[in-house]
Amino acid sequence: MPKDFLKHAKDEYDVVVIGSGLGGLTAANMLARSGYRVLLLEQHYKLGGMATWFKRPGGHIFDISLHGFPYGMLKSCRRYWTQEIADSIVQLKNIRFDNPMFSLTTTFNRHDFTKLLTDKFNVAAEAVEGFFDKARKMDFQDDQQLTTRQLFDEFFPGREDVIRLLMEPITYANGSTLEDPAISYGIVFSNFMSKGVFTFQGGTDRLIQLMEAEINRSGVDVGIRCDVKKINCDGGRVRSVEVGGRKIKTRAVVSNANLKHTILNLVGEEYFDRQFVEEARAVRLNNSSTQVYMALKPDERIEESTGDLLFSSTAPTFRTESLLSRDITSRTYSFYYPRTRPAGRPRSLIVSSTNANYADWASLSEREYEASKQDLIETTLDALDKYVPNVRARIDHIEASTPRTFEHYTQHVAGASFGTKFEGLQVSFDIPKQIEGLYHAGSVGIIMSGWLGAMNYGRMVASDVDNLLAAAPAHATTKAVT
Amino acid sequence: MTEGDIREEILDILESIAPDEDLTQIDDGVNFRDQLELDSMDFLDIVMELRKRHRIQIPEDDYVQLASMKSTVTFLEPLMKDIERV
Ligand SMILES: Cc1cc2nc3c(=O)[nH]c(=O)nc-3n(C[C@H](O)[C@H](O)[C@H](O)COP(=O)(O)OP(=O)(O)OC[C@H]3O[C@@H](n4cnc5c(N)ncnc54)[C@H](O)[C@@H]3O)c2cc1C
């Protein structure tokens, strides 16, 4: 008989959180700390969502989405998690670019970028300062007409090389393009520029392990392998969720699942205004990814000068379409040195990532799919040889993932890596106005995605849920809110 | 709570939110944002902390009232005057 992962779940909660991505985990933790009875349900057997890792024979541990995040993570981890988690956040100091327009290494912060732009790219200091200030002041309530392309044209007209330096890393970080609203660029870019790029020492596995311990301390009930099939609503309010053949009553639901999946499938369009459903349908998903994971033989080391993150491209100029194309010309490499996991066995790994269109992979037959994956692996090794000489001979393990892989593990529609385009934010915000007690907290709108965005959004939504539950007369069974 | 007590309470909350900042030099008339490294998440945390400690509900539209120490204390005074100091 299959194990009952819901054995310890009660019949009723104040809040059910669907999905244990960083947004779901953070919302669950904050609400439990406020004294609510919280149940966290995750369909996969591991917590973390896209903040995940996998192990391979030989002591190799691969991180999927630990390429870098802004310094703001430290503050959020300290406040919404623990000091121990915050203390493990360390800077990645060698960020490299290599493309036909320029090759350079930077610490990826405002100070160094200003120096690069004025000295190496010969841009006037006032233009650089004006640009940084404008980007930093951006807020998500601002004007959304201005596109990122227009923002660049205002300060750096005709400078495709400058645009590439400023844009390429952000496109990798969250799939945003020159055609997206400038604020979605400005907010994320400024977050990084404040202090540079950071990572989590000990790897994603250690982070999620520490978070799991913390949600246990906070009193969250957790069910893994618990695929929520339905969110039941009635009379304009959330009532219960259906999972593992059980119906669990709840006063509020926070869905960390994909935005469209939440509205159209888990709840069902008949529970929303027609206009709202139209808007939800019209939300564009962000692109997906491919990755190639490579582990060097145990005694092989990568030169530190290779960098931590390398944005490489052979394309003559920067174009959104070419970044997404199956005909790959641009790759971002993350180099993991033994210092990534100081407590583990010393290993050197490389993950190559590209942005990708789901459609390019979805319709392939099994045979074509395998061939396409193999081609991805071979072409990646060819390209990487320039930076890690003789890489083929030094490798112990190699494999690839595609948009289909991401879809399989997270149930994100079309394997979306970074949630939705900007308009998804408003739809996500508006859900509780449609159904009382229903909330969404997960990667949306570009700015609420990435580790930091998802975590902060989880925290914001927890505050809204708390507001609702604290205002409504508490059930007799509800614990005192402290 | 008197206005002085409320000011102390806000300082205490700020201390936990921004432990790296020097709060002894705060100018009550100047916006927090112009003298401390605070972002919108920090303001949300201030609101949450007030709710947790004193069960004060601050609607989102009123967050702007929390711009400076002076405006915050003025805004909170009618809401907190009947609260016992602990
Ligand atoms: C290849 C790649 C590289 C990335 N690199 C970085 C990076 O370097 N830095 C960075 O900051 N960000 C990066 N990101 C983005 C970042 O990982 C995500 O934005 C973030 O982790 C998303 O968190 P989330 O809270 O939105 O939830 P998700 O991680 O999307 O998790 C949602 C969870 O909900 C679960 N779920 C869905 N439906 C159900 C259901 N019906 N019942 C139960 N559970 C359900 C899923 O299984 C999943 O665990 C990367 C993403 C990808 C794909």
Side-chain angles (χ1 to χ4, degrees):
Chain A
M1 213 178 94
K3 194 168 164 215
D4 180 7
F5 291 96
L6 275 171
K7 201 165 55 195
H8 302 290
K10 298 189 247 309
D11 292 325
E12 191 184 339
Y13 284 87
D14 295 314
V15 190
V16 172
V17 178
I18 304 172
S20 67
L22 294 176
L25 280 167
T26 306
N29 196 42
M30 296 313 292
L31 286 161
R33 276 189 192 175
S34 295
Y36 295 107
R37 301 165 306 165
V38 181
L39 174 65
L40 176 64
L41 298 170
E42 168 57 52
Q43 55 92 19
H44 194 43
Y45 60 81
K46 270 200 253 183
L47 302 184
M50 291 197 288
T52 197
W53 70 97
F54 62 90
K55 295 183 176 175
R56 287 295 177 260
H60 307 301
I61 307 176
F62 293 102
D63 296 285
I64 309 295
S65 62
L66 183 60
H67 308 282
F69 45 70
Y71 181 75
M73 267 296 275
L74 199 147
K75 205 170 72 179
S76 294
C77 284
R78 187 174 62 211
R79 295 227 291 268
Y80 315 144
W81 293 97
T82 64
Q83 189 64 42
E84 188 184 6
I85 290 178
D87 286 345
S88 295
I89 291 172
V90 293
Q91 191 175 4
L92 293 174
K93 297 197 178 97
N94 286 326
I95 312 302
R96 274 178 79 191
F97 289 77
D98 186 39
N99 61 58
M101 288 170 144
F102 53 86
S103 291
L104 55 87
T105 302
T106 168
T107 46
F108 209 78
N109 54 11
R110 178 166 178 169
H111 178 75
D112 201 43
F113 256 48
T114 303
K115 213 168 90 204
L116 278 172
L117 286 168
T118 51
D119 299 356
K120 197 173 154 81
F121 289 78
N122 295 312
V123 179
E126 304 77 68
V128 177
E129 205 181 320
F131 169 77
F132 272 110
D133 286 344
K134 180 152 183 171
R136 197 170 61 92
K137 290 209 184 84
M138 287 182 170
D139 192 270
F140 65 84
Q141 274 121 17
D142 288 357
D143 159 44
Q144 298 158 24
Q145 298 308 311
L146 189 76
T147 66
T148 306
R149 159 71 72 187
Q150 288 165 334
L151 172 71
F152 289 140
D153 285 347
E154 181 183 339
F155 294 96
F156 315 110
R159 292 297 301 268
E160 293 299 320
D161 54 343
V162 171
I163 294 181
R164 183 172 213 163
L165 173 72
L166 297 173
M167 188 68 195
E168 209 165 59
I170 304 304
T171 300
Y172 269 114
N174 61 23
S176 75
T177 70
L178 291 169
E179 295 72 40
D180 285 317
I183 59 166
S184 62
Y185 169 83
I187 291 176
V188 177
F189 178 73
S190 303
N191 282 344
F192 274 108
M193 280 292 130
S194 80
K195 292 211 166 65
V197 183
F198 290 77
T199 189
F200 191 80
Q201 200 164 52
T204 317
D205 41 336
R206 178 159 174 266
L207 172 71
I208 298 301
Q209 205 184 346
L210 289 171
M211 287 184 164
E212 210 171 328
E214 179 58 20
I215 55 172
N216 283 329
R217 258 193 301 274
S218 304
V220 177
D221 285 353
V222 182
I224 53 164
R225 294 186 195 270
C226 288
D227 192 357
V228 175
K229 297 287 181 208
K230 201 87 204 138
I231 301 170
N232 294 316
C233 306
D234 178 34
R237 284 185 49 191
V238 151
R239 303 288 175 180
S240 62
V241 300
E242 280 174 38
V243 57
R246 277 178 68 181
K247 198 179 261 191
I248 297 179
K249 281 211 254 175
T250 185
R251 299 169 68 199
V253 166
V254 175
S255 174
N256 181 224
N258 185 276
L259 176 70
K260 295 180 102 154
H261 181 58
T262 301
I263 297 168
L264 302 172
N265 304 330
L266 292 176
V267 178
E269 58 179 88
E270 60 274 30
Y271 294 93
F272 300 91
D273 284 354
R274 192 178 286 163
Q275 163 85 17
F276 180 81
V277 172
E278 296 290 307
E279 282 163 18
R281 281 193 193 286
V283 171
R284 294 162 299 158
L285 292 167
N286 225 321
N287 59 264
S288 188
S289 312
T290 74
Q291 287 186 319
V292 178
Y293 313 93
M294 293 158 274
L296 296 197
K297 291 176 178 157
D299 48 353
E300 290 282 353
R301 290 290 165 269
I302 308 164
E303 275 289 319
E304 280 274 351
S305 61
T306 314
D308 292 303
L309 256 179
L310 166 57
F311 299 99
S312 81
S313 176
T314 54
T317 57
F318 171 81
R319 287 257 153 61
T320 312
E321 314 85 73
S322 57
L323 276 195
L324 286 166
S325 166
R326 177 63 190 88
D327 178 18
I328 298 166
T329 50
S330 303
R331 295 179 166 85
T332 302
Y333 301 106
S334 281
F335 297 99
Y336 300 92
Y337 300 89
R339 61 178 150 82
T340 309
R341 287 182 172 77
R345 282 185 267 175
R347 290 290 180 272
S348 300
L349 302 96
I350 306 161
V351 176
S352 167
S353 309
T354 70
N355 291 358
N357 283 318
Y358 179 73
D360 288 340
W361 295 84
S363 55
L364 302 180
S365 70
E366 243 358 86
R367 203 202 278 133
E368 290 167 329
Y369 179 64
E370 285 311 320
S372 195
K373 253 168 100 161
Q374 197 53 42
D375 175 71
L376 175 63
I377 287 175
E378 294 302 330
T379 50
T380 301
L381 283 170
D382 290 343
L384 183 59
D385 203 70
K386 175 176 178 191
Y387 308 107
V388 183
N390 200 20
V391 62
R392 268 199 167 78
R394 299 165 66 189
I395 270 178
D396 204 20
H397 179 89
I398 184 162
E399 68 183 272
S401 66
T402 73
R404 272 156 72 161
T405 323
F406 293 108
E407 182 189 43
H408 174 77
Y409 283 108
T410 61
Q411 302 198 349
H412 274 300
V413 180
S417 297
F418 316 107
T420 74
K421 289 287 185 190
F422 191 72
E423 63 272 13
L425 193 58
Q426 196 58 48
V427 172
S428 175
F429 282 164
D430 287 345
I431 289 181
K433 294 178 201 151
Q434 294 281 316
I435 297 176
E436 191 182 303
L438 179 66
Y439 298 82
H440 172 258
S443 314
V444 279
I446 303 177
I447 54 177
M448 292 302 180
S449 85
W451 284 27
L452 179 62
M455 197 182 270
N456 283 351
Y457 196 26
R459 196 276 177 276
M460 281 169 60
V461 169
S463 157
D464 292 344
V465 174
D466 183 39
N467 222 346
L468 174 90
L469 297 183
H475 286 198
T477 48
T478 305
K479 272 195 275 179
V481 179
T482 46
Chain B
M1 282 186 159
T2 66
E3 292 205 351
D5 296 336
I6 297 172
R7 187 178 185 280
E8 280 305 305
E9 187 67 0
I10 297 299
L11 276 180
D12 194 58
I13 291 173
L14 282 175
E15 175 80 43
S16 69
I17 284 171
D20 304 330
E21 300 271 0
D22 178 9
L23 300 173
T24 56
Q25 305 296 323
I26 282 203
D27 184 335
D28 286 17
V30 175
N31 279 359
F32 288 127
R33 263 185 203 248
D34 296 333
Q35 41 184 340
L36 304 171
E37 262 188 59
L38 295 186
D39 57 28
S40 52
M41 291 306 290
D42 296 315
F43 283 94
L44 181 70
D45 285 337
I46 296 172
V47 171
M48 279 295 276
E49 205 52 37
L50 283 167
R51 192 190 298 159
K52 213 158 136 182
R53 293 186 186 193
H54 304 290
R55 295 175 165 267
I56 299 172
Q57 298 284 5
I58 303 175
E60 229 170 296
D61 294 342
D62 285 333
Y63 288 8
V64 288
Q65 309 283 353
L66 309 180
S68 70
M69 182 61 93
K70 194 168 184 285
S71 67
T72 304
V73 172
T74 310
F75 172 72
L76 290 175
E77 200 275 333
L79 300 171
M80 294 179 74
K81 65 177 193 298
D82 296 332
I83 294 174
E84 284 286 319
R85 206 189 143 179
V86 275

